[in-house]
Amino acid sequence: MEDTLFWSRLQFAFTITYHYLFPQLTMGLAWIIVYFKWRYLRTGDETFGNAARFWARIFGINFAIGVVTGIPMEFQFGTNWAGFTKFSGNLIGQTLAMEGMFAFFLESALIGAMVWGEKRLGPRNHFLTTVGVALGSWASGYFILVTNAFMQHPVGYSVADDGSLRLQSLAAYLLNPWALIMFLHNQCAAVVTGSFVVAAVGALYALRGKHSGQASLFLKTGTLVGLCACFLVATPTGDQQAKMVAKHQPVTLAAMEGRFHGGSNAELNVIGQPDEDQQRIDNPLYLPDALSILAFGHANSSVQGLDDFPKNEWPTNIELLYYAFHIMAGLGTLFILLMIIANIQRWRGRLEKSRGLLWALMLAFPFPYIATTAGWMTAELGRQPWLVFRLFRTSQGVSDVVGGGNVLFTLMGFTGLYFVLGVLYLFLIGREIAHGPQTISSTIKLEVSHD
Amino acid sequence: MIEIWYAILTFMLIMFVVLEGFDFGAGMLQYLVGKTEAERRLVIAAIGPLWTWHEVWLVGFGGTLMVSFPNVMASAFAGFYLAFFLLLWALVLRGVALEVSGQIAEPLWRTGWHVVFVAANFLLAILIGTALGNIVRGVPLDANGKFALDFFTNFSPSGNVGILDWYTVSVAVFVIVIFAAHGATVLVLKTTGPVHDRSVRIASLLWKTILVLLAGITLESWHVRPELFSGMIHQPFGWLGLVAVAGGVPVIFTSLKNGRELSAVIGSGAFIAGLMTAGAAGVFPIMLHSTLAPENSLSAYQNAAAGNGLVIALVWWPLSLIFAVGYFTFIYRHYTGKVKPTEDMQTPY
């Protein structure tokens, strides 16, 4: 049982982390492509048309890997987490089914035509298709975040005679305040990923002196959207998210901050290593009173520490949780600085000549992926030891008929398969970027006609 | 309410099998009907840009099963653990092969992905066939409503069974042939030239084979799960399914002979949908039959989700179905008719 639990957790963590590398770019790019399409429709300027086509091809490859790595997620609820499915399937199944029925049917119907069907559909319908895919990808994100928000902050349920949960109010479940804030926070982070990737490709072309029109457009769009998104991730969405954790999951906040002892005038640790044995932070660099102010608005507000809670309610991996949170917050701060500098240089008309800054923009694109992954690790490690916060422990949720060896086998299978997918993805995306934005004539020639 | 959700689940599974069934079938036949590179690309083009829409029916089925019968999902998915992951991996490989094979116009690249594609389609047909065979035959459910299936035990379809026995293997063979025949029938509709002519010959041959296999499978099922047939004739849906099967067969043969390609596809779809409807009606209300003791079986009546979650879901589900069909129609208008090779076959659709 212990083995099954450990390997099942690792398998879910691995497959969801890997999967989410793809949808975050899909969701981030979707509206940027809609913007390019819209400008193209309005102005007829081929720079926008080619930009839209180029990013749609990248989007298509990204989407395909996102789809195939997404299908195993839903099914793992049944295969590995049968106890959880029995306990709360009637609730979380609602949003998982809605995601399929409302979002996936929309995206899957339109994606092929969005990537390959510009000529066949005509400008207006092709624009609508692009908007439809963007809406579908964001709707899909919302349904999944409602599911996760229920696990973080359960609302809208009642308990049936057999101990399982039943849906009490669909509206309360779907409009969980946790879901609304997490959705905004998460979607802004996805736009950060998308805008950093667009800016990085622009910086690459500018540094190589190729596709100069596209380079300027990508740099302008990437840095402007990036600046707005970076601010919105931090405040109000990130700030509100943290306040919600402080209010509903105080033990999680204590662990995120490595706060072993409670009290007023809580400091905010910027750097330092949590030391569980000594119950302190080693080598701390901190801002006095800042945690009290951020969490509750006053310097002398009291913030609970881990020692205010029974030990069996502490998150199970405090060190990793602490680092995940600090990596996310630290990178988020650096992103804001980078984008402020890039935009100042752009307004002065110097961005494309500042080679150092272009190098930084080009090499910065992996870091939003790291930050979003760290953010999700904060949310999910912070929820432990609960599967549904304060209702259902993770250890109760695992499938008891599946042996640990079987789970290790499938985990190794996923590792191998996903390694191959990763190599394939990098190869194909690298090829598209090396090829660059095409002209319209060569795109159309590639179509297979249906008559 | 429980009957409605059982019907909805059956409907979604039928949609998946009928729609992806022809994708799988056409994919299996890629090298039989396509002798040149261009002809093999034509098969991919015939599967078309909507294959992900077809696959979403499976995802929708999973979520809907979780809403309506969470206990059944928990028991079945954990019990079929390894088989489920084989299915998922095959779906991953097939989807990737379909999407990336057209990305590079290089013979080695194309051949490599086409081989992965054909192999994954065969594996999927085997797995889906085996799964359907297991549902009809039953699984070794214990008194707690749990089971963990080995791949094989003693190849006998009673007592302590494994996933594979002589019955489930024969259902798998049956399903491979049905998918191939269904795929060939759709290729007849969607293609021209040599691919079309080969598909006509293959479809006629396979459908004749199916008639023989159907008689065999019926006898085997009678032996393995006799109550299937008594259940079928006591349910209106059972009769509906049997009528669709009986009506589908002559439509397929006469349509293929007379070149009425669309009605051949409709007949083929009706045949598959009819078999599944009759089967689902026959086993109702038992969703998972126990081969160890009948009282351990999971019945729809005892395992439906508690509370008013099912009523709430019945409000949004039909709405989402209308939307789903709407998106499909919006795009499919642009992709009707036959696919035709042009000078450059690089892009898949």
Side-chain angles (χ1 to χ4, degrees), chain A residues 164-370:
Chain A
S164 69
L165 300 184
R166 53 164 77 170
L167 183 62
Q168 188 65 33
S169 158
L170 184 68
Y173 175 69
L174 283 181
L175 300 175
N176 188 343
W178 195 289
L180 298 173
I181 288 176
M182 189 161 59
F183 179 69
L184 294 175
H185 186 53
N186 186 68
Q187 298 312 98
C188 290
V191 176
V192 171
T193 302
S195 60
F196 269 60
V197 168
V198 172
V201 175
L204 170 72
Y205 290 159
L207 283 169
R208 292 179 71 197
K210 285 191 164 177
H211 315 294
S212 62
Q214 301 290 341
S216 308
L217 177 62
F218 295 171
L219 279 170
K220 183 181 171 193
T221 314
T223 53
L224 199 60
V225 174
L227 181 67
C228 302
C230 285
F231 266 111
L232 291 173
V233 167
T235 183
T237 66
D239 180 52
Q240 290 299 318
Q241 179 79 50
K243 287 191 165 65
M244 192 120 71
V245 173
K247 188 171 165 200
H248 297 293
Q249 298 184 346
V251 61
T252 305
L253 182 74
M256 278 158 62
E257 264 302 314
R259 184 171 176 76
F260 291 97
H261 310 289
S264 63
N265 298 77
E267 70 279 11
L268 184 76
N269 291 310
V270 180
I271 302 180
Q273 299 80 45
D275 185 336
E276 255 195 279
D277 297 334
Q278 304 286 330
Q279 302 232 332
R280 59 164 199 178
I281 301 289
D282 294 338
N283 314 308
L285 184 69
Y286 59 85
L287 301 171
D289 302 343
L291 183 61
S292 287
I293 296 171
L294 283 177
F296 300 107
H298 293 289
N300 50 9
S301 302
S302 176
V303 179
Q304 287 171 295
L306 283 164
D307 59 5
D308 292 323
F309 301 92
K311 232 178 169 168
N312 68 355
E313 291 183 9
W314 290 16
T316 41
N317 197 333
I318 291 168
E319 293 96 333
L320 194 58
L321 172 58
Y322 170 91
Y323 286 123
F325 173 62
H326 283 79
I327 287 170
M328 173 194 74
L331 284 176
T333 313
L334 294 175
F335 295 161
I336 294 176
L337 286 177
L338 177 66
M339 281 299 157
I340 288 176
I341 297 169
N343 277 285
I344 290 174
Q345 289 295 77
R346 196 172 51 74
W347 282 317
R348 296 169 68 198
R350 294 199 188 161
L351 178 56
E352 285 168 58
K353 296 184 203 79
S354 322
R355 293 189 69 86
L357 189 55
L358 288 176
W359 271 95
L361 284 174
M362 182 176 76
L363 297 177
F365 81 87
F367 291 97
Y369 287 99
I370 296 172

Side-chain angles (χ1 to χ4, degrees), chain A residues 68 71 74-75 78 80 89-90 93-94 101 105-106 108-109 116 120 167 400 410 414 431 446 448-451, chain B residues 52-53 55 59 63 66-67 74 77 81 85 92 104 146 305 308-309 316 320 327 331 334-335 339-340 342 347:
Chain A
V68 296
I71 292 174
E74 183 190 48
F75 289 91
N80 293 71
N90 186 231
Q94 301 271 350
M101 297 299 293
F105 272 127
L106 173 61
S108 64
W116 304 110
R120 194 187 302 281
L167 183 62
D400 50 10
T410 54
F414 274 113
R431 207 170 145 271
L446 300 179
V448 179
S449 69
H450 295 235
D451 58 8
Chain B
T52 44
W53 193 86
E55 206 157 294
V59 180
M66 199 178 196
V67 173
F77 280 42
Y81 187 83
F85 282 94
V92 169
I104 299 177
K146 291 177 179 174
N308 58 356
W316 61 258
S320 68
Y327 316 136
I331 292 301
H334 299 281
Y335 289 88
V339 291
K340 142 181 133 181
T342 52
T347 61

